[in-house]
């Protein structure tokens, strides 16, 4: 059976300037990224007939979510569309919707973007803005979170990390190797926010944010935009260097609320299982993994959910860093991930890096002979997993 994702390819990636604070508006950053992605695909704006933004307008309530307005972007670029979408989180991966659009003939070349100004928002607020900073009324899910001071994602995820460590015996000394190794990768990425070396001792000495998660367990608020062009497979001869979507899936097994998730030690297994059912490839075939790392524990969950190690074995798998380093068994987040490269959100930075690696365009951090890359999104109620191939 030919799956719909085989009728689509990722043809272009583009990014604006990325940094803690960039002196450009979110709208300008968006246009920079889209223009770069279209050029990267070997296309012109006249070729683009699909536009999508992630998440859609009004979907997020945090300061620094700077996607702008889909109609304004379309107008500024003078694009005539046959397909448009404002995608809210829950669509598995950012390129899922555009892939469906081109696979079903609704568009031939669709671009999706994600823009953040969280670095600037954090500076303006004197710290990283929390949920309550933008929506202080206790309604919806916030009715259960605000009264107990659970004002940011780290406060929501920390109990999951504590439960996982209690149940499986993972230690902070073991999990430290994820941010430490990714910082080493970021040192080879000129666009990474943090490039100075990080040691296990630095990690253990860092201030606690929400026990057991410290400063270096948390991704870095940044300014920047990423755009991805998805094209119909029949247009491959017209494209510069397309990457194939081998398989992808997004499955939410539990209740669609983080605070009501049933199994706090397993997040993402449904999406991973559904993805593997769509391909003959196996975990051993994967050359590198770009696993969502809004927090260290999310990368831990995905290592296990994707079958790179057994349930409860991720601590031992990452300990020492050898397996997840460049040249190791499974190079992890080779651009530095969100922990050091910057929070570009929703697997946009992870997807861009996977494409570069598969094209052989990653420079000093290139994984030799890379042919298969795994990419995942947040997990839990926003779980999505994909395999990209040359």
């Amino acid at each position: 059976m030919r799956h719909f994702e085989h009728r689509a390819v990722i043809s272009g990636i583009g990014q604006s300037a990325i940094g803690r604070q960039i002196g450009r508006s979110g709208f300008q950053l968006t246009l920079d990224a889209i223009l770069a992605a279209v050029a990267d695909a070997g296309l012109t704006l006249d070729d683009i007939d699909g536009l999508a933004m992630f998440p859609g307008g009004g979907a997020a309530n945090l300061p620094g979510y700077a996607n702008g307005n889909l109609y304004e972007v379309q107008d500024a670029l003078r694009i005539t569309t046959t397909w448009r979408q404002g995608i809210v989180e829950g669509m598995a991966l950012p390129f899922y919707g555009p892939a469906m659009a081109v696979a079903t003939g609704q568009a031939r070349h669709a671009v999706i973007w994600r823009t953040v100004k969280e670095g600037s928002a954090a500076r303006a607020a004197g710290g990283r803005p929390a949920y309550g900073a933008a929506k202080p009324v206790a309604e919806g899910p916030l009715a259960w979170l605000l009264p107990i001071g659970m004002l940011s994602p780290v406060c929501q995820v920390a109990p999951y990390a504590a439960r996982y460590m209690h149940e499986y015996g993972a230690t902070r000394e073991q999990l430290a190797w994820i941010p430490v190794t990714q910082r080493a990768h970021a040192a080879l990425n000129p666009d990474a926010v943090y490039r100075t070396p990080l040691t296990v001792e630095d990690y253990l000495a860092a201030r606690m944010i929400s026990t057991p998660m410290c400063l270096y367990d948390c991704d870095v608020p940044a300014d920047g935009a990423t755009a991805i062009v998805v094209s119909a497979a029949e247009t491959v001869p017209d494209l510069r260097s397309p990457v194939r979507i081998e398989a992808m899936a997004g499955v939410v097994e539990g209740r669609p609320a983080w605070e009501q998730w049933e199994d706090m030690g397993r997040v993402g297994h449904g999406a991973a299982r559904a993805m593997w059912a769509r391909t003959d490839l196996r975990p051993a075939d994967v050359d590198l993994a770009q696993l969502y790392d809004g927090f260290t524990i999310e990368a831990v969950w995905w290592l296990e959910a994707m079958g790179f190690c057994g349930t409860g074995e991720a601590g031992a798998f990452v300990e020492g860093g050898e397996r997840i380093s460049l040249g190791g068994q499974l190079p992890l987040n080779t651009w530095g991930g969100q922990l050091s490269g910057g929070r570009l959100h929703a697997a946009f930075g992870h997807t861009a890096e996977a494409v570069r690696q598969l094209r052989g365009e990653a420079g000093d951090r290139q994984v030799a002979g890379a042919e298969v890359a795994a990419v995942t999104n947040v997990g839990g109620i926003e779980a999505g997993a994909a395999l990209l191939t040359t």
Side-chain angles (χ1 to χ4, degrees):
M1 182 175 69
R2 190 175 185 224
H3 297 302
F4 81 88
E5 56 262 47
H6 296 169
R7 298 194 292 272
V9 296
I10 295 179
S11 57
I13 54 169
Q15 291 183 306
S16 69
I18 297 168
R20 286 286 273 166
Q21 286 95 34
I22 302 295
R24 294 173 67 80
S25 69
F27 185 71
Q28 291 174 312
L29 295 176
T30 297
L31 297 185
D32 289 346
I34 292 174
L35 292 171
V38 172
D40 181 68
L43 301 170
T44 70
L45 289 175
D46 289 338
D47 296 310
I48 303 299
D49 54 4
L51 283 178
M53 56 191 290
F54 187 105
N61 60 24
L62 287 175
Y65 278 39
N67 265 352
N69 182 290
L70 189 150
Y71 304 118
E72 291 175 342
V73 171
Q74 179 180 353
D75 191 50
L77 297 175
R78 300 295 191 267
I79 291 173
T80 299
T81 59
T82 58
W83 176 83
R84 291 182 301 194
Q85 190 170 55
I87 301 177
V88 298
E89 293 177 349
M91 283 296 290
L93 284 160
F95 49 85
Y96 200 103
M100 293 185 74
V102 302
T104 55
Q106 297 177 77
R108 285 175 64 79
H109 304 285
V111 62
I112 184 166
W113 72 89
R114 179 76 178 93
T115 303
V116 290
K117 289 273 290 181
E118 290 188 293
S120 292
R123 183 177 184 179
R128 193 168 190 172
Y131 288 145
K135 192 173 182 180
V137 178
E139 61 183 13
L142 292 181
W144 306 103
L145 303 178
L146 293 181
I148 59 172
M150 196 171 277
L151 301 180
S152 68
V154 67
C155 298
Q156 288 182 269
V157 174
Y160 287 73
R163 177 63 190 179
Y164 175 89
M165 295 170 73
H166 168 77
E167 187 167 352
Y168 298 114
T171 67
R172 294 189 66 230
E173 287 80 2
Q174 289 177 319
L175 303 189
W177 286 99
I178 293 177
V180 167
T181 304
Q182 291 185 190
R183 180 64 65 88
H185 296 164
L188 303 175
N189 176 11
D191 294 321
V193 174
Y194 287 140
R195 303 179 64 198
T196 56
L198 180 69
T199 68
V200 172
E201 291 72 26
D202 294 331
Y203 171 91
L204 295 174
R207 63 187 173 92
M208 196 62 66
I209 304 299
S210 185
T211 304
M213 298 170 64
C214 74
L215 178 67
Y216 296 120
D217 287 310
C218 304
D219 58 14
V220 182
D223 292 358
T226 304
I228 300 170
V229 180
V230 179
S231 298
E234 62 264 25
T235 69
V236 162
D238 303 324
L239 304 173
R240 185 182 74 83
S241 186
V243 164
R244 184 168 174 260
I245 306 172
E246 166 64 19
M248 62 179 174
V251 174
V252 177
E253 296 176 290
R255 295 173 62 183
W258 278 103
E259 69 277 6
Q260 301 294 335
W261 196 260
E262 289 90 344
D263 189 340
M264 298 177 76
R266 292 166 62 88
V267 178
H269 285 252
R273 185 168 55 250
M275 185 210 71
W276 289 118
R278 299 174 72 83
T279 178
D280 292 329
L281 296 177
R282 301 286 73 144
D285 297 314
V286 176
D287 298 308
L288 58 107
Q290 309 298 334
L291 306 182
Y292 195 82
D293 60 334
F295 305 104
T296 298
I297 191 64
E298 291 177 308
V300 167
W301 291 328
W302 278 117
L303 285 168
E304 297 179 359
M306 293 289 282
F308 299 128
C309 61
T311 300
E313 297 177 359
F317 185 86
V318 304
E319 188 170 8
E322 291 87 359
R323 289 189 181 92
I324 58 173
S325 296
L326 297 175
Q329 174 184 339
L330 186 74
L332 176 66
N333 292 337
T334 50
W335 57 293
Q338 297 195 150
L339 299 178
S340 288
R343 175 181 159 85
L344 300 176
H345 198 230
F348 274 84
H350 299 80
T351 302
E353 177 68 5
V355 170
R356 292 190 188 101
Q357 288 283 350
L358 294 174
R359 289 173 169 177
E361 297 174 353
D364 292 339
R365 63 186 187 277
Q366 179 65 47
V367 175
E371 295 183 349
V372 181
V375 180
T376 66
N377 199 357
V378 181
I381 66 173
E382 298 151 359
L387 294 180
L388 306 182
T389 65
T390 53

